[in-house]
Amino acid sequence: MARPKIERQIGCRPAYSCFKPNGIPMKQLPSLVLESDELEALRLVDMLGMQQIEAAKQLGVSRQTLGNIVASGRSKVAQALVQGWALELDGYHHRS
């Protein structure tokens, strides 16, 4: 049985629910969901330049967990950019 997920301390909300290539309707694009903890980890480490130990404390997780979250978030962002996929933020799903 998997361990229960620890509640994360999220300090930002995205301004938009998704990012996608221009000119292609959302329903025609494959998409990835960037979870709120992944966005927060990317904000703390990549945008604000925090060390992982400091960012992990702020997010309320271990340094190893933060490293895993950052790696997952970076992988999703890279895949969306390179393959032209939509990136849904904070768990919003817009498909009908």
Side-chain angles (χ1 to χ4, degrees):
M1 177 183 276
R3 291 179 59 181
K5 190 173 182 180
I6 296 173
E7 187 173 330
R8 313 286 164 72
Q9 303 298 319
I10 308 300
C12 74
R13 300 237 348 127
Y16 300 97
S17 61
C18 73
F19 285 90
K20 67 175 195 67
N22 286 333
I24 303 171
M26 187 69 175
K27 62 186 172 187
Q28 293 179 5
L29 287 171
S31 67
L32 295 167
V33 176
L34 187 69
E35 299 295 337
S36 58
D37 60 347
E38 293 169 327
L39 177 62
E40 178 69 356
L42 293 176
R43 183 181 79 86
L44 295 173
V45 174
D46 294 333
M47 191 175 100
L48 299 180
M50 281 187 184
Q51 295 295 315
Q52 285 195 2
I53 298 251
E54 183 183 353
K57 287 179 187 173
Q58 189 157 334
L59 196 57
V61 298
S62 71
R63 203 248 8 116
Q64 180 63 45
T65 298
L66 178 87
N68 293 338
I69 293 169
V70 168
S72 175
R74 286 176 178 165
S75 175
K76 289 177 181 181
V77 170
Q79 185 175 2
L81 291 173
V82 171
Q83 295 180 335
W85 290 16
L87 191 60
E88 297 183 62
L89 303 177
D90 201 29
Y92 291 108
H93 299 278
H94 295 286
R95 292 190 184 229
S96 302

